[in-house]
């Protein structure tokens, strides 16, 4: 039987050690290190996420309880709480961001190589969703992250690629930073189909997206000041009420000639009228509504991130420690996504996280386990023959 190391160690092998050490040298993460390596800190923070540890005591105690199995992880001994806390506060969080992008490339290659990969829409444009979520903090403890008078918070701005539902880009800011201010600084590949909600309403940014050959779908605000250019004939599709070509007076006064579509759609499930805005002038109105419905995927991603990983309670109070933990959570999410993509078993993300947490230090082949998680491990090929006791033989003879 082939011998294997722990499932946690095999999972860490998805992050090549040479690439990690190269990033350590790039950011000078071990400039003042005294025995505790950046790799040891990285293993501890991933254990925090995958093992669902809630505090420094649980991280260090959980690793110390598995002391005999840590060498497979590339760690000599478990760190003390003060050592790990100091590393989280002082070592640059940019190291974790770099490892996130390296792992993202591997996940995207896995998505591209999957056989039978079917797209939900016929258009060839890359579909991505843009949104932000607020992570609440205690204002007394995180005094640098003031959000309201008695509340602290940071915002995680995320770009979700719908091919594999992978987080493609992330920015962590203070809670007061408006979403559209971050969006203006982003650059998208020409031809991208971008979906976002009404919180990103900015006509100048809409015009700039059009100049960059980026198509978008969003919802139109009720107080939008626009003029009608064309009333299109609506097909006999359930839900489509109106299809119009419009312009915004604000852009017209600035001399910017830019046309948009206004699509009215009746949602029969929630009995409400939805008004969509897009700069895509050729797709059907029903397709525009279906594209916006896909935006719900990023809401589900935020929900899974907060429920399955440690981004609601933090093991450090400084800005650097908080960003380190959030980037570690995003790396853990990519690791889980990679296992989910490679597995032939129909995993739900929550079940995979829960069972992986229980199997972290089990010595079993990872790739066999994720394909057949409820099958018993294989028995050794050589089983020693059970010998009979001489006492039992003599007793049989006497009888």
């Amino acid at each position: 039987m082939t011998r294997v190391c722990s499932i946690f160690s095999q999972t860490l092998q998805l992050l090549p050690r040479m690439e990690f050490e190269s990033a350590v040298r790039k950011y000078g993460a071990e400039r003042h290190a005294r025995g505790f390596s950046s790799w040891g800190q990285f293993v501890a923070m991933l254990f925090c996420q995958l093992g669902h540890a809630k505090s420094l005591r649980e991280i260090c105690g959980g690793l110390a309880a598995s002391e005999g199995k840590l060498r497979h992880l590339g760690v000599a001994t478990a760190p003390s709480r003060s050592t790990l806390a100091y590393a989280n506060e002082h070592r640059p969080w940019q190291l974790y961001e770099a490892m996130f992008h390296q792992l993202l490339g591997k996940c995207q290659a896995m998505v591209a190589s999957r056989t039978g990969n079917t797209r939900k829409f016929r258009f060839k444009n890359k579909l991505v969703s843009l949104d932000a979520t607020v992570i609440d903090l205690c204002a007394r403890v995180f005094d640098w992250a003031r959000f309201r008078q008695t509340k602290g918070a940071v915002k995680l701005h995320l770009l979700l690629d719908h091919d594999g539902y992978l987080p493609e880009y992330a920015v962590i800011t203070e809670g007061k930073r408006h979403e559209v201010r971050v969006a203006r600084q982003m650059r998208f590949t020409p031809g991208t189909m971008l979906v976002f909600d009404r919180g990103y309403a900015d006509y100048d940014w809409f015009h700039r997206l059009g100049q960059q050959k980026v198509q978008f779908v969003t919802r139109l605000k009720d107080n939008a000041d626009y003029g009608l250019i064309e009333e299109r004939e609506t097909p006999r599709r359930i839900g489509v009420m109106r299809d119009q070509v419009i312009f915004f007076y604000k852009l017209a006064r600035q001399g910017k000639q830019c046309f948009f579509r206004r699509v009215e759609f009746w949602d029969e499930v929630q009995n409400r009228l939805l008004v969509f805005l897009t700069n895509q002038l050729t797709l059907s109105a029903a397709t525009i509504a279906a594209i916006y419905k896909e935006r719900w995927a990023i809401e589900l991603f935020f929900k899974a991130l907060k429920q399955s990983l440690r981004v609601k309670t933090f093991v450090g109070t400084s800005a650097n420690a908080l960003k380190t933990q959030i980037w570690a959570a995003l790396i853990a999410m990519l690791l889980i996504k990679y296992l989910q993509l490679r597995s032939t078993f129909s995993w739900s993300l929550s079940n995979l996280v829960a069972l992986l947490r229980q199997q972290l230090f089990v010595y079993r082949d990872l790739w066999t386990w994720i394909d057949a998680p409820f099958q018993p491990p294989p028995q050794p090929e050589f089983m020693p023959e059970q010998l009979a006791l001489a006492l039992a033989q003599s007793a049989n003879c006497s009888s």
Side-chain angles (χ1 to χ4, degrees):
M1 183 177 66
T2 305
R3 293 188 176 185
V4 294
C5 50
S6 66
I7 285 182
F8 190 20
S9 177
Q10 295 173 73
T11 304
L12 288 172
Q13 290 173 12
L14 297 175
L15 296 155
R17 188 69 178 271
M18 294 297 293
E19 295 179 3
F20 182 87
E21 296 300 335
S22 176
V24 168
R25 290 190 296 269
K26 178 181 178 181
Y27 294 103
E30 294 185 355
R31 186 174 302 168
H32 303 292
R34 294 293 184 272
F36 183 51
S37 66
S38 295
W39 178 255
Q41 179 198 7
F42 183 74
V43 170
M45 294 310 295
L46 275 186
F47 178 75
C48 169
Q49 299 296 336
L50 299 177
H52 218 252
K54 300 179 181 179
S55 63
L56 289 172
R57 187 184 299 275
E58 289 190 18
I59 296 173
C60 300
L63 291 175
S66 304
E67 194 75 47
K69 304 178 181 179
L70 295 185
R71 292 192 179 276
H72 293 285
L73 309 178
V75 180
T77 57
S80 64
R81 284 177 290 160
S82 59
T83 300
L84 182 57
Y86 184 87
N88 289 341
E89 185 176 356
H90 293 90
R91 290 183 179 173
W93 58 265
Q94 289 85 352
L95 170 64
Y96 289 75
E97 182 183 17
M99 296 310 300
F100 167 83
H101 288 291
Q102 289 183 6
L103 184 58
L104 175 63
K106 183 174 291 188
C107 292
Q108 289 175 335
M110 172 64 69
V111 172
S113 64
R114 283 192 309 172
T115 57
N117 184 24
T118 57
R119 299 177 64 93
K120 189 169 184 178
F121 298 99
R122 292 183 178 180
F123 59 82
K124 298 181 179 180
N125 305 65
K126 183 178 181 180
L127 180 61
V128 295
S129 295
L130 177 63
D131 205 352
T133 185
V134 176
I135 300 175
D136 295 328
L137 302 172
C138 177
R140 284 186 178 180
V141 179
F142 299 88
D143 53 355
W144 51 268
R146 290 283 180 180
F147 183 48
R148 294 193 178 96
Q149 187 173 1
T150 59
K151 184 179 179 182
V154 294
K155 273 186 182 178
L156 174 61
H157 306 260
L158 195 77
L159 193 66
L160 184 72
D161 186 354
H162 286 245
D163 290 339
Y165 298 103
L166 302 173
E168 187 180 67
Y169 182 77
V171 178
I172 304 169
T173 67
E174 64 275 11
K176 294 181 179 180
R177 180 73 63 89
H178 198 279
E179 291 87 341
V180 75
R181 291 179 59 189
V182 177
R184 292 193 196 108
Q185 300 174 1
M186 294 183 180
R187 294 296 178 266
F188 306 97
T189 305
T192 300
M193 178 68 75
L194 184 64
V195 190
F196 47 87
D197 62 13
R198 289 186 289 192
Y200 291 86
D202 184 349
Y203 300 150
D204 294 322
W205 184 54
F206 293 166
H207 177 259
R208 196 178 310 130
L209 288 176
Q211 289 181 324
Q212 298 173 4
K213 308 297 182 183
V214 176
Q215 302 173 4
F216 68 86
V217 177
T218 184
R219 286 181 62 188
L220 186 64
K221 284 194 170 183
D222 298 334
N223 60 351
D225 188 15
Y226 65 90
L228 180 64
I229 296 178
E230 178 187 357
E231 186 81 38
R232 292 186 172 184
E233 182 179 355
T234 56
R236 295 182 179 179
R237 295 282 186 91
I238 298 176
V240 179
M241 306 293 293
R242 183 171 294 177
D243 189 359
Q244 301 172 324
V245 178
I246 64 172
F247 70 94
F248 292 111
Y249 288 111
K250 178 183 178 181
L251 296 179
R253 286 192 293 266
Q254 297 175 358
K256 299 176 181 179
Q257 187 176 4
C258 192
F259 303 121
F260 302 90
R261 283 176 70 188
R262 179 181 179 273
V263 175
E264 291 186 6
F265 186 86
W266 179 257
D267 185 0
E268 293 186 346
V269 177
Q270 299 186 6
N271 291 325
R272 59 173 181 168
L273 182 66
L274 302 176
V275 182
F276 302 115
L277 177 72
T278 178
N279 61 351
Q280 220 295 335
L281 303 179
T282 57
L283 293 177
S284 67
T287 302
I288 298 299
I291 290 173
Y292 188 82
K293 186 177 180 180
E294 273 291 292
R295 196 197 68 84
W296 188 246
I298 196 170
E299 301 288 352
L300 295 178
F301 181 88
F302 284 140
K303 181 179 179 181
L305 184 69
K306 291 182 176 181
Q307 290 184 348
S308 302
L309 300 173
R310 306 305 303 172
V311 293
K312 296 177 72 176
T313 57
F314 294 91
V315 297
T317 58
S318 66
N320 192 82
L322 181 138
K323 291 183 179 181
T324 297
Q325 185 169 335
I326 293 178
W327 280 110
L330 292 173
I331 292 172
M333 180 62 76
L334 285 182
L335 288 172
I336 295 164
K337 287 282 188 180
Y338 185 88
L339 297 179
Q340 195 177 26
L341 288 169
R342 185 163 172 177
S343 173
T344 57
F345 186 79
S346 57
W347 286 101
S348 68
L349 191 140
S350 59
N351 284 341
L352 179 55
V353 172
L355 290 184
L356 185 63
R357 183 185 313 141
Q358 301 170 6
Q359 304 287 324
L360 277 183
F361 288 100
V362 173
Y363 282 69
R364 190 172 178 183
D365 184 67
L366 172 63
W367 310 115
T368 302
W369 176 75
I370 63 171
D371 290 338
F374 303 112
Q375 296 296 323
Q379 296 296 326
E381 296 178 0
F382 174 74
M383 293 291 291
E385 184 180 355
Q386 181 68 41
L387 300 177
L389 290 175
L391 180 62
Q393 291 178 353
S394 61
N396 292 333
C397 292
S398 61
S399 61

